[in-house]
Amino acid sequence: MDGILNTTTNTVHKHRDRKATATTACGATRHVADDRLDRIDVDRAVSDRQASKCGRCFSDGGGY
């Protein structure tokens, strides 16, 4: 599943509607600069970068 990683908070969000831009399902990153957002697979973000899942985007998440 595609996700958006906020590199400032190290939190991964669900990518919204497979759009080219880094928009998230919860909208928490709409004011974050594009250079702080990486498009990445959610499982990879959690395993490789030890990212937290957004609590608004994922039922098993804890961030935000």
Side-chain angles (χ1 to χ4, degrees), residues 27-62:
T29 61
R30 70 176 164 260
H31 298 295
V32 178
D34 287 338
D35 65 340
R36 297 290 183 191
L37 301 173
D38 291 336
R39 192 167 178 175
I40 189 170
D41 180 77
V42 172
D43 293 331
R44 192 170 139 229
V46 172
S47 65
D48 294 355
R49 298 198 186 178
Q50 290 77 45
S52 299
K53 288 183 177 179
C54 170
R56 290 189 227 168
C57 292
F58 301 97
S59 60
D60 62 343

